[in-house]
């Protein structure tokens, strides 16, 4: 078997997509009332993103040592590329570097410089390269290229969750707290920053869609739409973007899940644009969030 890709559950890849590329997604952690939950593995309370007192944590070195070991066995010696969310937003990348020391150079760890489905796109870039015969180093380089070019934008209903978790800068806090400002955020070099502010959430969605189309610049793209408990708004955004993007080779729509949901809050909607991916393998069904033309 070729190089195996490992990522973490922040990547939000639908199970059908992860399975089709043999990508291992390691769960992140949530703690509520002393109970530790593993994202996507345990039965996490549905309202946890709105529950005070929840804490989140990245994958631990122990978690990753186990996942990397499983991946190495699957690869039969070709090695592992591990893709994790930005080191500036989580300790998972650092935990990955520590875990990789157990495997004597068989694991290369990638800082995706992003979060959410953008991490998934970076993982898919590595997996597609491996599928096409790339060795570990070339699959790593494919991931690095995707990390440098993928665009990730996000609209949130308010900045309270991000403020409380320390995931935005002091300047962004001040700009976003005035009146009823609805901010548009984007990821720049691994950090979540303020791109623009609007007066209404619908206007924020309009501006975000325009920014995504501008970034695509007529190129063939892979489209990702992600949301926190806002499937209708996400579906509307997919329709709008498909109408305005010149060429969409594949699109994925996902819920951000409980860990990221705790940080962005209910109602958040985001878009991810990848420009260097082959059409994504359909997997089992479109019902799992993947569609192609």
């Amino acid at each position: 078997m070729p190089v195996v890709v490992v990522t973490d559950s922040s990547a939000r890849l639908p199970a059908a997509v992860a399975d089709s590329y043999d990508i291992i997604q390691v769960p992140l952690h949530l703690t509520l009332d002393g109970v530790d939950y593993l994202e996507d593995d345990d039965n996490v309370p549905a309202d946890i993103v709105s529950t005070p007192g929840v804490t989140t944590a990245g994958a631990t070195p122990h978690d990753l040592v186990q996942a990397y070991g499983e991946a190495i066995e699957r690869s039969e010696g070709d090695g592992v590329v591990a893709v994790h969310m930005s080191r500036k937003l989580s300790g998972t990348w650092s935990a990955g570097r520590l875990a990789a020391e157990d495997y004597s150079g068989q694991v290369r760890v990638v800082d995706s410089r992003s979060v959410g489905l953008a991490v998934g796109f970076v993982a898919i870039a590595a997996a597609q390269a491996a599928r096409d015969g790339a060795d570990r180093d070339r699959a790593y380089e494919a991931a690095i290229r995707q990390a440098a070019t993928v665009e990730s934008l996000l609209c949130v209903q308010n900045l309270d969750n991000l403020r409380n978790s320390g995931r935005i800068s002091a300047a962004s806090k001040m700009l976003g707290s005035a009146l009823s400002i609805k901010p548009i955020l984007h990821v720049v070099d691994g950090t979540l920053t303020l791109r623009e502010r609007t007066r209404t959430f619908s206007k924020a969605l309009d501006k975000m869609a325009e920014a995504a189309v501008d970034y695509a610049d007529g190129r063939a793209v892979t489209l990702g739409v992600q949301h926190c408990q806002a499937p209708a708004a996400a579906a509307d955004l997919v329709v709008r973007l498909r109408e305005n993007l010149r060429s969409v080779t594949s699109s994925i729509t996902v819920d951000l899940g409980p860990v990221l949901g705790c940080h962005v809050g209910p109602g958040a909607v985001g878009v991810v644009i990848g420009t260097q991916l082959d059409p994504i393998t359909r997997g089992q069904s479109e019902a799992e969030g993947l569609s192609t033309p």
Side-chain angles (χ1 to χ4, degrees), residues 53-233:
V54 180
T55 59
T56 65
T60 67
H62 175 72
D63 297 335
L64 295 170
V65 164
Q66 291 187 313
Y68 296 169
E70 177 187 344
I72 287 169
E73 289 183 4
R74 290 190 195 179
S75 76
E76 299 178 354
D78 285 347
V80 174
V81 174
V83 177
H84 297 300
M85 76 176 99
S86 170
R87 73 181 80 178
K88 296 179 181 179
L89 297 173
S90 168
T92 302
W93 177 86
S94 296
R97 289 291 298 270
L98 185 62
E101 292 177 1
D102 282 18
Y103 294 107
S104 304
Q106 296 180 80
V107 181
R108 298 207 66 178
V109 183
V110 177
D111 179 356
S112 69
R113 298 164 58 186
S114 198
V115 68
L117 195 51
V119 181
F121 281 13
V122 176
I124 288 172
Q128 288 183 344
R131 177 200 60 192
D132 294 341
D135 61 15
R136 181 179 62 249
D137 290 342
R138 288 193 293 145
Y140 170 85
E141 291 165 2
I144 293 296
R145 287 193 297 272
Q146 185 66 207
T149 58
V150 67
E151 176 77 349
S152 184
L153 301 156
L154 180 71
C155 295
V156 296
Q157 295 287 351
N158 60 66
L159 289 173
D160 291 344
N161 291 64
L162 288 166
R163 178 185 298 114
N164 293 337
S165 65
R167 293 310 195 273
I168 52 173
S169 68
S172 295
K173 293 178 188 178
M174 291 186 290
L175 288 169
S177 61
L179 301 175
S180 297
I181 295 297
K182 302 300 181 184
I184 303 170
L185 306 171
H186 66 153
V187 180
V188 179
D189 194 26
T191 301
L192 200 60
T193 63
L194 181 71
R195 177 189 175 95
E196 194 170 348
R197 51 182 181 167
T198 63
R199 294 287 182 168
T200 67
F201 193 69
S202 61
K203 188 65 173 177
L205 291 176
D206 290 343
K207 291 286 189 180
M208 182 173 68
E210 291 172 7
V213 172
D214 287 345
Y215 178 76
D217 193 27
R219 294 172 291 181
V221 301
T222 302
L223 169 65
V225 173
Q226 50 195 354
H227 65 91
C228 179
Q229 300 178 354

